[in-house]
Amino acid sequence: MGEAAIELAGVHKEFAVHGERVQAVRRLDLTVAQGEFFSLLGPSGCGKTTTMRMIAGFEEPTGGTVRLDGQDVTGVAPHKRDVNMVFQSYALFPHLTAYENVAFGLERKRVARGEIRKRVGEMLDIVSLTGMDKRAPRELSGGQQQRVALARALVNRPRALLLDEPLGALDLKLRQQMQTELKRIQREVGITFVYVTHDQGEALTMSDRIAVMRAGAIEQLGPPRAIYERPVTRFVAGFIGTSNIIDGTVERVDDGVAVLTYGPGERVLVPTTAAAGTALEVSVRPEKIDLSREQPAGTGCSMLSGVVKDVVYHGTSTNYTVTTAAGPDLVVFDQNARDAEDLAGPGDRVHLTWSPQHSYPIGVS
Amino acid sequence: MRLLRAYTWLVVAWLTLPIVVMIAFGFNDTPGRYNQTWDGFTLKWYGRVFALDDLTRALWISLGIALASMLLAGALGTGIGYALGRFRFRGSGVVNLLMFATMSSPELVMGASLLTLFVSAGVGLGPVTITIAHVMFSISFVAVVVRARVLTLDRSLEEAAADLGASPWTTFWRVTFPLILPAVGSGMLLAFALSIDDFVVTNFTAGTTTTFPLWIWGATRIGLPPQVNVMGTLIFLVGVLIAVVGSVRARRQ
Ligand SMILES: Nc1ncnc2c1ncn2[C@@H]1O[C@H](COP(=O)(O)OP(=O)(O)OP(=O)(O)O)[C@@H](O)[C@H]1O
Ligand SMILES: [Mg+2]
């Protein structure tokens, strides 16, 4: 990791709402590296926007320190901070043209006229808005407005760009197109991005690292793969993608692999250091589980049998819901790569297997 | 539906009839000072509109006061309206209440108290005291109109300006002001209109100064000359012009 572009140390934020104190953000420690694409992900009201606004300077933290490039900026007014924000509502100036919107920041910095013209022109090219410079915001489509907002921020070459759900208002197709575009622009200009979203798919595909937030605190922080493959809490497992959670007690430990049993031949294997007798919650992703109607021969695997409750065809995959002895129904995704027909139908008896490394013990929270 | 249409036309007639009468009698070929019976059509009053010196002087005084109080009330009212719409501060609730209180308090009472105030402060009555009085009761109207606009203004626009490096001062003049300008404009027109035809408060605070409405009031006892109708018509036309220009620009926005 390179030099830290943004650092939050013990930052918290309280709001007074009708005399009551609301903890919007609690003791947040966070470091975003130079040039990193960093995402804040979490459910509505978990404090993503508040965190972002504290970095931009619109909200003063109740406690803690905000540093930009190593410099303490706590208490510094927003217009004196070298970060730019793309607002969820775009906040384009309705009385100015696209060109004037993009030029606004450079004019404030008293950049020379010719230089402004050159840089704004380049920026409009980068966001594919060539020739739209004389349009007023209301004469642009949602996606075009979004790109003007992006250009308006990027043209200032800020240390970091803060994006608060910038794609929230766009339809799916445009959204995907803009995701690719954003990623390309970020790579081209090499600016640090802090990206707020509550779309987990978006966070997974675009980010270098993700912080999953819950109720004002970071629940897990790491690269997308780690967040997805190894969720550390039940909340993260449930929030990112679909997860099966299996409860059980460690019966014995063989070679660093705990065995949880649910009847004859019914077992779940979990790599863990937990001792025998410990209660565990185990997470398994639905696509890791193999489903078949024949009794599998494998030995070093987790094995559960059950009855299919539900089959849902999803195009690229088919989802099965299976009732087993291990507690709540398990969900299994089967890629429709080869199978012309469903592996099983409702009421069929099936066997589920998956290798031990796909089971993770998760913390209780 | 038919009833509604009839009703609408009735209201329109009610609103326009006095104006039609005013305009018509500006073209009345009346021989004497009594401009109350129709004596045929003429344009001569338009040619002699400024023939009565004291009436002309009264009109200019009224226009001057209206202009001054429009500008002053515009500036001060915009400041208050912006502050009330944007910030919650100690006493903002009281100021809000005060705005509506001044708008609804009876003019007679307001005029009488202002007179007491000026006299006890030893201020000589004249155009200045009239202007002070007019600004006083116009501010609330400007402030209320501006405040309403500021409340609908997306907060994030000003944040975006600050984010792009604009100081609070620059943000106000480059972003906020252009966006609330239509409201400031209508508030100022309101202030102008309130001032130009104010009689009650002016009567208390004028001293020996004669404004347009005060002159007309004085003249009614001996009969109104047609020049009054002509001036009224011209003022009305300017008002209509401003309204038309305003709505055309609003539609183009
Ligand atoms: N100005 C404010 N005054 C009072 N409470 C606030 C204020 N701003 C935010 N909050 C509260 O702080 C908490 C976090 O809000 P925040 O806007 O940061 O959530 P978020 O994660 O951005 O949610 P969303 O995904 O819905 O945008 C919420 O409970 C919210 O009600
Ligand atoms: Mg938010």
Side-chain angles (χ1 to χ4, degrees):
Chain A
M1 216 188 293
E3 186 193 336
I6 300 169
E7 240 184 300
L8 303 183
V11 164
H12 60 105
K13 178 72 190 177
E14 274 181 15
F15 287 109
V17 183
H18 305 301
E20 256 177 79
R21 289 199 287 185
V22 176
Q23 299 266 352
V25 171
R26 322 162 186 257
R27 291 180 314 284
L28 209 65
D29 290 303
L30 185 68
T31 308
V32 181
Q34 205 70 253
E36 190 176 19
F37 196 117
F38 189 93
S39 289
L40 291 172
L41 180 61
S44 186
C46 71
K48 306 180 296 289
T49 298
T50 307
T51 304
M52 187 91 101
R53 289 172 61 82
M54 286 192 288
I55 299 173
F58 297 125
E59 227 63 86
E60 274 313 315
T62 314
T65 315
V66 179
R67 285 192 205 89
L68 298 176
D69 276 324
Q71 276 193 347
D72 188 346
V73 296
T74 325
V76 173
H79 67 279
K80 292 179 182 152
R81 296 192 189 192
D82 199 8
V83 295
N84 283 125
M85 187 151 164
V86 176
F87 292 78
Q88 180 163 19
S89 57
Y90 309 149
L92 295 179
F93 306 128
H95 58 300
L96 301 180
T97 63
Y99 178 93
E100 289 164 338
N101 265 280
V102 178
F104 192 91
L106 295 177
E107 281 167 8
R108 302 286 81 75
K109 287 186 188 160
R110 311 208 181 285
V111 175
R113 269 262 169 112
E115 171 81 4
I116 291 181
R117 199 167 310 130
K118 186 168 143 275
R119 274 167 71 176
V120 172
E122 281 171 8
M123 207 64 222
L124 288 174
D125 288 346
I126 289 183
V127 297
S128 324
L129 283 178
T130 321
M132 307 255 182
D133 40 2
K134 290 211 175 56
R135 301 256 191 114
R138 66 178 176 282
E139 295 163 346
L140 296 168
S141 73
Q144 290 166 340
Q145 289 180 26
Q146 199 275 330
R147 281 177 281 169
V148 174
L150 191 65
R152 184 177 70 173
L154 276 174
V155 78
N156 304 293
R157 299 178 188 153
R159 295 286 161 76
L161 193 64
L162 311 172
L163 301 103
D164 192 357
E165 298 196 40
L167 308 183
L170 306 183
D171 63 49
L172 186 67
K173 190 94 185 161
L174 195 54
R175 205 180 160 94
Q176 287 168 341
Q177 194 182 323
M178 285 305 300
Q179 286 174 1
T180 328
E181 203 132 317
L182 268 180
K183 195 67 194 165
R184 170 183 66 83
I185 292 168
Q186 194 249 348
R187 235 177 275 125
E188 255 169 49
V189 294
I191 290 176
T192 311
F193 271 39
V194 179
Y195 194 91
V196 163
T197 177
H198 57 225
D199 178 337
Q200 34 122 347
E202 197 168 286
L204 287 173
T205 52
M206 297 173 77
S207 320
D208 294 319
R209 283 193 307 155
I210 299 173
V212 181
M213 289 183 70
R214 179 196 188 186
I218 291 181
E219 190 101 348
Q220 187 173 359
L221 197 159
R225 187 174 289 273
I227 298 269
Y228 183 79
E229 303 275 345
R230 295 193 166 276
V232 295
T233 66
R234 191 176 194 134
F235 172 78
V236 176
F239 191 74
I240 315 277
T242 312
S243 216
N244 293 302
I245 310 284
I246 304 170
D247 293 301
T249 310
V250 178
E251 197 183 83
R252 59 175 199 282
V253 182
D254 298 339
D255 240 358
V257 176
V259 182
L260 286 62
T261 54
Y262 299 89
E266 310 272 322
R267 59 169 193 258
V268 172
L269 308 181
V270 193
T272 174
T273 52
T278 321
L280 274 190
E281 281 185 66
V282 180
S283 149
V284 190
R285 292 291 182 189
E287 70 277 13
K288 308 290 188 193
I289 302 175
D290 280 324
L291 180 145
S292 89
R293 296 176 67 168
E294 286 91 47
Q295 175 86 38
T299 44
C301 276
S302 293
M303 273 197 262
L304 290 172
S305 60
V307 177
V308 175
K309 198 169 149 189
D310 200 16
V311 180
V312 180
Y313 178 73
H314 273 278
T316 55
S317 69
T318 304
N319 300 1
Y320 301 86
T321 310
V322 182
T323 309
T324 68
D329 294 344
L330 300 184
V331 180
V332 179
F333 294 169
D334 180 60
Q335 285 295 319
N336 294 331
R338 295 169 295 273
D339 319 307
E341 277 170 34
D342 293 344
L343 296 172
D348 287 349
R349 184 145 196 94
V350 291
H351 301 274
L352 309 178
T353 54
W354 67 95
S355 48
Q357 79 261 25
H358 291 139
S359 307
Y360 309 111
I362 57 177
V364 186
S365 67
Chain B
M1 190 58 217
R2 287 249 297 281
L3 209 67
L4 199 67
R5 193 174 309 165
Y7 165 78
T8 307
W9 282 113
L10 204 70
V11 171
V12 169
W14 190 358
L15 291 177
T16 50
L17 215 59
I19 298 169
V20 170
V21 171
M22 172 189 78
I23 295 174
F25 277 85
F27 296 106
N28 190 14
D29 194 2
T30 178
R33 289 214 69 161
Y34 294 95
N35 189 13
Q36 273 155 10
T37 47
W38 186 251
D39 294 305
F41 182 87
T42 179
L43 281 172
K44 69 178 176 199
W45 303 121
Y46 278 79
R48 292 187 220 156
V49 62
F50 296 126
L52 305 169
D53 281 342
D54 43 349
L55 173 61
T56 308
R57 196 172 324 113
L59 181 69
W60 288 130
I61 289 174
S62 270
L63 282 174
I65 290 172
L67 215 62
S69 78
M70 173 182 90
L71 292 174
L72 282 168
L76 299 172
T78 301
I80 298 172
Y82 176 67
L84 285 176
R86 190 45 93 218
F87 312 107
R88 291 201 58 80
F89 49 90
R90 274 176 76 108
S92 61
V94 177
V95 177
N96 236 329
L97 213 70
L98 211 67
M99 291 290 124
F100 288 97
T102 44
M103 281 198 292
S104 57
S105 69
E107 270 202 275
L108 270 170
V109 178
M110 200 192 291
S113 352
L114 275 166
L115 177 62
T116 318
L117 183 71
F118 288 138
V119 169
S120 62
V123 184
L125 300 180
V128 174
T129 49
I130 300 174
T131 309
I132 292 174
H134 287 192
V135 169
M136 193 217 112
F137 67 66
S138 307
I139 277 186
S140 312
F141 289 89
V142 180
V144 166
V145 175
V146 169
R147 173 174 164 272
R149 173 69 184 123
V150 170
L151 284 177
T152 63
L153 206 62
D154 186 358
R155 185 83 213 243
S156 61
L157 290 176
E158 288 163 309
E159 288 184 344
D163 187 63
L164 293 165
S167 64
W169 180 255
T170 314
T171 300
F172 182 82
W173 287 112
R174 293 299 307 268
V175 176
T176 316
F177 190 70
L179 293 174
I180 62 171
L181 189 58
V184 173
S186 31
M188 282 171 68
L189 283 181
L190 210 55
F192 185 90
L194 286 170
S195 167
I196 193 107
D197 69 352
D198 180 77
F199 177 75
V200 179
V201 172
T202 311
N203 200 22
F204 278 104
T205 53
T208 55
T209 309
T210 306
T211 63
F212 187 59
L214 290 184
W215 192 93
I216 294 174
W217 174 247
T220 41
R221 272 167 282 172
I222 37 172
L224 275 188
Q227 273 90 345
V228 170
N229 296 61
V230 174
M231 286 177 178
T233 305
L234 293 178
I235 292 174
F236 170 75
L237 285 179
V238 171
V240 168
L241 192 74
I242 291 173
V244 167
V245 169
S247 77
V248 164
R249 285 188 58 180
R251 192 162 312 162
R252 213 178 290 156
Q253 283 268 315

